[in-house]
């Protein structure tokens, strides 16, 4: 005689009518939702159902948060609570997994692990029948591509990404990927959509939260920047909509910025700017120093810039070759002392902040997705002397999955003041431009 077991879970209407059925129909899914939406409780019960029904031998599932301590705090008690009514379930407190009895005779029951993305080695070498990636905006992007996705392949496992926006990062990219793929399920719920929080409570929360926090946490706005981002998404979006007129840059200096690839997946980039107008970047993979020097030489011949600034960190060979060819170029060490030593910790922070000022004064950007995404990547802080310090390039690559090569090339065009083609004051505050 079979025993009926009821899990003590009463799904909220949206979960019951839409989300749970959609998760069961789709292999991959992305859930973007406001705080207190019930994301963790919902996905814990989803993985529990899928684990109980899984017919594969020795099934394994995982709930993964950015940090193990965070995963334990958020999900472990939920997992133990909702499985507590299942006879024969076993709990391993040291390794944070629950083992369920199998509903299929002769089979080993499923295990559901609670893991942290901060220890990727604990996820390597395993197969997974299904995973939940919580707060994916804070998880290193390579975890999915290098570890989790391959581990799902032989079992045709599923994955659900959940979280609240924190700018346009890896979570935004996987959400956009899901929206573009009919085989994926995506949803996005704001406080206005769900109706879960009383309006009076929402109004009170808004009084205590910064505008960007309200847009992110309550209205799931991917265009709201984090608090310590140097260049905001709104500023970049506005600059991309501008159309600078030819008369507005006539006589303004033309400047080239060249960022030379360091290693691996980094790309070399050339950015041209004339006054308030920045042009579409040129991006190169696998170009050695000689080839890149030839490309830069061609750009100099074509555009006759007043100055060419090249990153000295890895650009020594390019600089030497161009000088050998008779071109005057200026090497810029990003880590060197800033011109304004009392305000900036180094030259790189100074260039990026100058670029931000330029955007605020009416600078126009090309329609280039990579440039736009990279401009809003760096976070900033202050050193012991109170000077502005930009997030290290290596840390950005670790956090965002790639190096800001294009944006660094753009920043190089602000390495130093450059005189114009003829003597006149550059138009800034009163410059005409079109926005559409």
């Amino acid at each position: 005689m079979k025993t009926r077991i009821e899990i003590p879970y009463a799904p909220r209407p949206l979960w019951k009518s839409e989300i749970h059925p959609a998760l069961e129909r789709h292999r991959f899914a992305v859930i973007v939702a406001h705080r207190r939406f019930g994301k963790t409780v919902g996905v814990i019960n989803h993985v529990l159902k899928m684990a109980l029904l899984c017919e594969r031998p020795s099934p394994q599932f995982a709930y993964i948060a950015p940090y193990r301590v965070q995963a334990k705090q958020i999900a472990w008690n939920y997992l133990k609570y909702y499985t507590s009514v299942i006879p024969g379930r076993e709990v391993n407190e040291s390794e944070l997994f629950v083992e369920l009895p199998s509903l299929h005779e002769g089979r080993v029951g499923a295990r559901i692990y609670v893991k942290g993305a901060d220890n990727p080695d604990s996820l390597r070498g395993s197969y997974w029948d299904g995973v939940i990636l919580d707060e994916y905006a804070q998880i290193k992007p390579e975890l999915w591509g290098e570890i989790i996705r391959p581990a799902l392949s032989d079992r045709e496992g599923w994955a659900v990404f959940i979280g609240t926006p924190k700018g346009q990062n890896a979570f935004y990219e996987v959400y956009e990927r899901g929206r573009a793929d009919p085989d994926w399920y995506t949803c996005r719920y704001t406080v206005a959509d769900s109706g879960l929080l009383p309006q009076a409570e929402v109004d009170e929360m808004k009084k205590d939260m910064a505008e960007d926090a309200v847009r992110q946490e309550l209205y799931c706005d991917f265009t709201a920047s984090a608090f310590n981002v140097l260049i905001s998404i709104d500023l970049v979006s506005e600059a991309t909509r501008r159309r600078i007129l030819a008369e507005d840059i006539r006589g303004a200096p033309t400047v080239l910025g060249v960022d030379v690839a360091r290693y691996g997946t980094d790309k070399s980039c050339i950015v041209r700017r004339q006054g308030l107008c920045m042009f579409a970047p040129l991006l190169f993979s696998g170009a050695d120093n000689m080839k890149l020097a030839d490309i830069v030489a061609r750009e100099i011949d074509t555009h006759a810039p007043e100055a060419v600034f090249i990153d000295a960190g890895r650009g020594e060979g390019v600089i030497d070759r161009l000088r050998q060819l008779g071109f005057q170029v200026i090497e810029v060490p990003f880590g060197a002392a800033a011109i304004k030593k009392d305000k900036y910790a180094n030259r790189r922070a100074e260039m990026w902040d100058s670029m931000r000022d330029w955007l605020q004064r009416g600078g126009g950007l090309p329609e280039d997705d990579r440039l736009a995404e990279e401009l809003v990547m760096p976070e900033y802080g202050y050193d012991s002397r109170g000077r502005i310090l930009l997030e290290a390039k290596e840390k950005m690559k670790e956090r965002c999955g790639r190096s800001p090569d294009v944006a660094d090339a753009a920043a190089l065009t602000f390495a130093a003041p450059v005189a114009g083609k003829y003597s006149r004051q550059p138009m800034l505050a009163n410059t005409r431009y079109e926005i559409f």
Side-chain angles (χ1 to χ4, degrees):
M1 180 177 178
K2 293 183 178 180
T3 302
R4 179 182 176 84
I5 299 171
E6 291 190 11
I7 305 297
Y9 170 57
R12 290 171 170 173
L14 278 172
W15 282 90
K16 184 176 182 179
S17 64
E18 180 180 336
I19 299 175
H20 279 309
L23 293 181
E24 293 177 24
R25 293 195 307 267
H26 295 82
R27 184 180 178 190
F28 299 113
V30 185
I31 300 173
V32 182
H34 64 82
R35 297 297 177 194
R36 310 308 304 160
F37 182 75
K39 298 186 291 294
T40 303
V41 170
V43 295
I44 286 294
N45 279 278
H46 172 67
V47 73
L48 175 56
K49 180 177 180 179
M50 301 302 286
L52 287 168
L53 297 178
C54 185
E55 298 182 0
R56 294 185 179 277
S58 304
Q60 291 193 144
F61 300 83
Y63 165 92
I64 304 169
Y67 301 96
R68 186 179 188 272
V69 63
Q70 179 184 17
K72 182 178 181 180
Q73 181 180 8
I74 294 173
W76 182 232
N77 286 336
Y78 284 140
L79 181 59
K80 290 191 293 183
Y81 170 71
Y82 288 112
T83 60
S84 63
V85 297
I86 302 175
R89 79 89 153 92
E90 297 182 5
V91 175
N92 188 310
E93 290 283 353
S94 61
E95 296 187 39
L96 298 185
F97 72 78
V98 167
E99 184 167 304
L100 307 174
S102 176
L103 301 182
H104 308 282
E105 189 175 349
R107 295 284 183 88
V108 176
R111 284 186 178 183
I112 304 175
Y113 288 83
V114 168
K115 296 276 191 177
D118 55 332
N119 183 17
D121 289 341
S122 70
L123 296 162
R124 293 183 188 274
S126 298
Y127 59 84
W128 299 109
D129 294 278
V131 297
I132 304 294
L133 293 136
D134 197 355
E135 296 297 349
Y136 188 65
Q138 301 175 40
I139 292 177
K140 297 176 183 178
E142 57 265 27
L143 183 78
W144 168 248
E146 296 178 8
I147 300 176
I148 301 300
R149 183 62 184 88
L152 295 171
S153 59
D154 59 329
R155 311 271 290 197
E156 296 183 341
W158 52 265
V160 179
F161 302 81
I162 65 175
T164 302
K166 288 188 178 297
Q168 292 183 339
N169 49 28
F171 188 41
Y172 171 75
E173 291 179 3
V174 77
Y175 174 64
E176 290 297 308
R177 155 80 188 278
R179 291 180 63 196
D181 191 331
D183 293 331
W184 285 49
Y185 168 68
T186 61
C187 64
R188 176 175 166 270
Y189 287 104
T190 71
V191 288
D193 300 323
S194 72
L196 293 175
L197 299 180
Q199 187 58 48
E201 179 65 16
V202 173
D203 293 340
E204 284 299 313
M205 291 173 69
K206 288 180 178 179
K207 293 178 183 178
D208 298 323
M209 298 169 67
E211 181 181 352
D212 282 348
V214 169
R215 290 170 55 188
Q216 286 184 165
E217 307 294 327
L218 301 183
Y219 293 98
C220 302
D221 187 351
F222 281 105
T223 67
S225 289
F227 304 115
N228 57 337
V229 169
L230 184 69
I231 298 176
S232 71
I233 291 174
D234 290 341
L235 187 57
V236 171
S237 298
E238 183 180 350
T240 303
R241 292 195 300 268
R242 293 183 184 127
R243 293 297 177 265
I244 307 299
L245 304 179
E247 60 220 60
D248 294 331
I249 61 173
R250 188 176 297 119
T254 296
V255 183
L256 295 185
V258 183
D259 185 67
V260 182
R262 284 156 174 75
Y263 41 75
T265 59
D266 288 356
K267 298 179 185 294
S268 295
C269 184
I270 303 173
V271 169
R272 174 168 56 96
R273 180 176 64 85
Q274 184 178 3
L276 288 172
C277 184
M278 187 172 289
F279 298 88
L282 303 177
L283 207 57
F284 306 96
S285 296
D288 60 27
N289 286 341
M290 296 295 285
K291 183 176 180 180
L292 184 59
D294 289 342
I295 295 171
V296 175
R298 182 188 64 202
E299 290 297 301
I300 295 174
D301 280 339
T302 302
H303 301 291
E306 276 69 35
V308 179
F309 297 109
I310 303 178
D311 171 22
R314 293 290 292 180
E316 302 95 335
V318 177
I319 294 167
D320 291 343
R321 175 58 177 165
L322 286 168
R323 287 174 176 167
Q324 185 182 48
L325 294 173
F327 293 100
Q328 293 185 353
V329 297
I330 304 167
E331 55 187 293
V332 181
F334 278 4
I339 297 173
K340 298 180 180 178
K341 298 179 182 179
D342 58 335
K343 185 175 181 181
Y344 303 102
N346 55 36
R347 195 74 173 275
R348 184 163 179 260
E350 186 172 43
M351 290 188 295
W352 272 79
D353 200 43
S354 297
M355 182 162 56
R356 181 188 63 171
D357 289 343
W358 173 82
L359 290 168
Q360 292 174 335
R361 293 180 301 181
L365 294 172
E367 293 183 356
D368 185 278
D369 290 341
R370 176 157 181 154
L371 173 61
E373 291 170 6
E374 291 183 7
L375 285 171
V376 301
M377 280 170 52
E379 299 177 353
Y380 75 97
Y382 298 91
D383 66 6
S384 59
R385 295 169 57 184
R387 300 176 301 178
I388 295 175
L389 178 65
L390 201 66
E391 181 182 15
K393 194 167 184 173
E394 291 72 19
K395 186 178 179 181
M396 265 191 285
K397 187 172 183 178
E398 179 180 320
R399 177 170 58 86
C400 302
R402 71 166 187 257
S403 181
D405 306 309
V406 179
D408 269 339
L412 278 163
T413 67
F414 298 90
V418 180
K421 296 181 185 299
Y422 52 84
S423 179
R424 79 172 198 180
Q425 293 296 318
M427 291 183 291
L428 294 174
N430 297 321
T431 297
R432 294 194 299 119
Y433 49 80
E434 298 173 346
I435 299 180
F436 59 88

